[in-house]
Amino acid sequence: MQDRNLIGSEWISGSGEEIDVTNPATNEKIASVPNGGAAEARRAVTAATEALPEWRSRTAFDRGKILRRIANLMLERQEPLAELMTREQGKPLAEARGEIAYAASFIDWAAEEGKRLDGELLPASAENKRILVMRQPVGVTACITPWNFPSAMIARKLGPALACGCTMVVKPAEQTPLSAIALAEIALEAGLPPGVMNVVTGDAAAIGEELFSNPAVRKVSFTGSTEVGKILIKQSAQNVTRLSLELGGHAPFLVFDDADVKAAVAGAMASKYRNMGQTCVCPNRFYVQQGIYDEFVAGLTAAVEALRIGSGLEEGIEVGPLIDDPAIEKVERHVSDALEKGGKLRTGGKRAKVEGMADRFYMPTIVEDFTPDMTMACEETFGPVSPLRRFRHEDEAVEWANDSPYGLASYFYTRDASRLMRVAERLEYGIVGANDGTPSTAQAPFGGVKQSGIGREGGRYVMHEYTEIKYVSWGL
């Protein structure tokens, strides 16, 4: 297991200061990585700048071959990569395996999509002119990624950037840097030229400041909180750096009287309790129509109480630890606030004791009768908690669902075809899961509206994020 930073062709230790990486389930120290800063980021940008001319001059077919090799190697080493992820992040091993496959799918898709970048020949305004429109790589790019999906969030950015002919500096989260470093090892083995991908771990503020103040960096993609995103928007003004931002969410989950209740419960479980509720697209508010409310809650409660809690390295475990102490303390505050304001605890509502493990496990929880004045009604809990509320009619549910500054993901279940189209159009969210609790996929655009972000990742849409349009007026 490599634990240094990759800059150009070298694995470096930086200034000598280090950050310990620990298993959130056990507090076991796994490794130490460099606590890099502005100097390391600057060196990585220089390496990416030097590698850019040769990489962007290659054909999309050549770049695609290397990307496919990266994706194939990830799948070949799915098991050790998944185990590494579980050790540093805590998610159950089955979910970690799924994330490795998910991450590889982004790189594989980008390998093919890079071949489809095309231009246009537009009608000219004069007989002696031709108008050409072409797409070219943005240049040196950077990504800043979160801890909850330490491989997939990098791959979703790295694959398209490299396929378009850009180079990249990767800044992974301090809690989960090892998955990023492992991906860099695989990239080099697959034949990626030195400097095309660089990894710098350490001080997020210092590294970010260098990325935005360095004029060589033309594009930054960030996944994280809305609060940090707003800071990056201001920093991007220095050099008018292009941004892709996937920010906070507060997803509603609507269940109508005509829904397939079993399917709705299954969708709720898949979307809410995956990764212990630590996803930006997991439901934060459940609105259930009164006619099927009791049936839905009974089904959800039974499914929640059947979940197995423990170390993610044990087969069959479905709920692992939260990432750190502040995370579980936030969940406790949200639940306590809800109960103080009239919410009713259906199940869970406290820490789960797992023998021999750290005190970071929280029982999957259901809170009924949540109200808009509760903290969990407006803030992301980022934990395994489902707040439920009854609604009477469609307009009421849609109004409540849209009453949020966030607009990343939303979900609803119905068997009425007219309602399906009507509600999908009315929900003010960039992603809508209509009878689907897991809509994310490599070929579809992923991103939000309102304060949930700028730009899209996935499919052909993400390729526009890493290319510039150039117009050539050609006089004959």
Side-chain angles (χ1 to χ4, degrees), residues 31-47:
S32 296
V33 299
N35 186 17
E40 289 77 13
R42 192 175 307 117
R43 185 174 169 183
V45 171
T46 298

Side-chain angles (χ1 to χ4, degrees), residues 314-335:
E314 296 178 26
E315 289 293 345
I317 291 298
E318 297 156 298
V319 178
L322 274 76
I323 187 66
D324 53 27
D325 292 337
I328 196 167
E329 290 164 3
K330 180 181 182 181
V331 173
E332 289 179 320
R333 287 196 307 272
H334 279 207
V335 173

Side-chain angles (χ1 to χ4, degrees), residues 12-282:
I12 67 165
S13 300
S15 62
E17 297 182 9
E18 296 192 330
I19 299 171
D20 288 342
V21 183
T22 60
N23 184 332
T26 63
N27 282 331
E28 167 202 7
K29 178 182 172 181
I30 304 169
S32 296
V33 299
N35 186 17
E40 289 77 13
R42 192 175 307 117
R43 185 174 169 183
V45 171
T46 298
T49 303
E50 292 173 351
L52 179 64
E54 192 274 337
W55 181 247
R56 70 183 172 195
S57 69
R58 292 194 181 199
T59 68
F61 290 82
D62 287 340
R63 295 194 292 262
K65 289 177 183 177
I66 295 176
L67 289 173
R68 282 199 307 277
R69 284 200 291 269
I70 294 173
N72 289 337
L73 283 172
M74 291 177 70
L75 294 176
E76 288 175 15
R77 295 171 192 175
Q78 185 178 29
E79 196 63 24
L81 290 173
E83 182 177 337
L84 176 64
M85 183 186 299
T86 295
R87 290 178 66 202
E88 70 171 345
Q89 200 273 340
K91 67 178 59 179
L93 195 55
E95 288 190 26
R97 293 186 189 111
E99 182 178 338
I100 296 303
Y102 183 49
S105 75
F106 284 110
I107 294 178
D108 187 58
W109 177 269
E112 296 301 314
E113 200 63 22
K115 301 172 186 177
R116 301 182 179 95
L117 282 174
D118 53 20
E120 294 179 284
L121 178 64
L122 301 180
S125 55
E127 292 180 0
N128 63 339
K129 286 188 178 183
R130 298 294 183 270
I131 295 175
L132 304 179
V133 178
M134 61 181 72
R135 285 195 171 273
Q136 295 183 313
V138 168
V140 175
T141 67
C143 72
I144 303 171
T145 58
W147 50 262
N148 56 345
F149 290 91
S151 290
M153 294 303 97
I154 294 174
R156 194 159 69 185
K157 305 170 191 299
L158 180 72
L162 270 53
C164 289
C166 302
T167 55
M168 180 168 273
V169 176
V170 176
K171 164 59 179 79
E174 294 179 26
Q175 299 95 324
T176 55
L178 300 177
S179 291
I181 294 171
L183 179 55
E185 285 188 272
I186 285 176
L188 287 183
E189 184 178 341
L192 193 70
V196 175
M197 177 188 181
N198 306 272
V199 178
V200 179
T201 60
D203 186 336
I207 293 170
E209 185 174 346
E210 173 61 29
L211 295 177
F212 282 102
S213 63
N214 195 318
V217 179
R218 303 291 179 84
K219 154 87 179 185
V220 175
S221 179
F222 169 76
T223 298
S225 71
T226 296
E227 291 71 25
V228 174
K230 291 177 179 180
I231 294 171
L232 300 188
I233 290 173
K234 293 179 181 178
Q235 290 182 323
S236 71
Q238 299 174 72
N239 293 307
V240 196
T241 307
R242 288 180 61 176
L243 280 176
S244 292
L245 300 175
E246 189 234 303
L247 307 178
H250 203 267
F253 192 108
L254 284 58
V255 186
F256 291 94
D257 279 345
D258 54 28
D260 179 332
V261 176
K262 289 184 179 179
V265 169
M269 293 299 296
S271 57
K272 173 71 244 189
Y273 294 99
R274 180 169 55 109
N275 198 18
M276 295 74 73
Q278 299 175 121
T279 85
C280 54
V281 295
C282 74

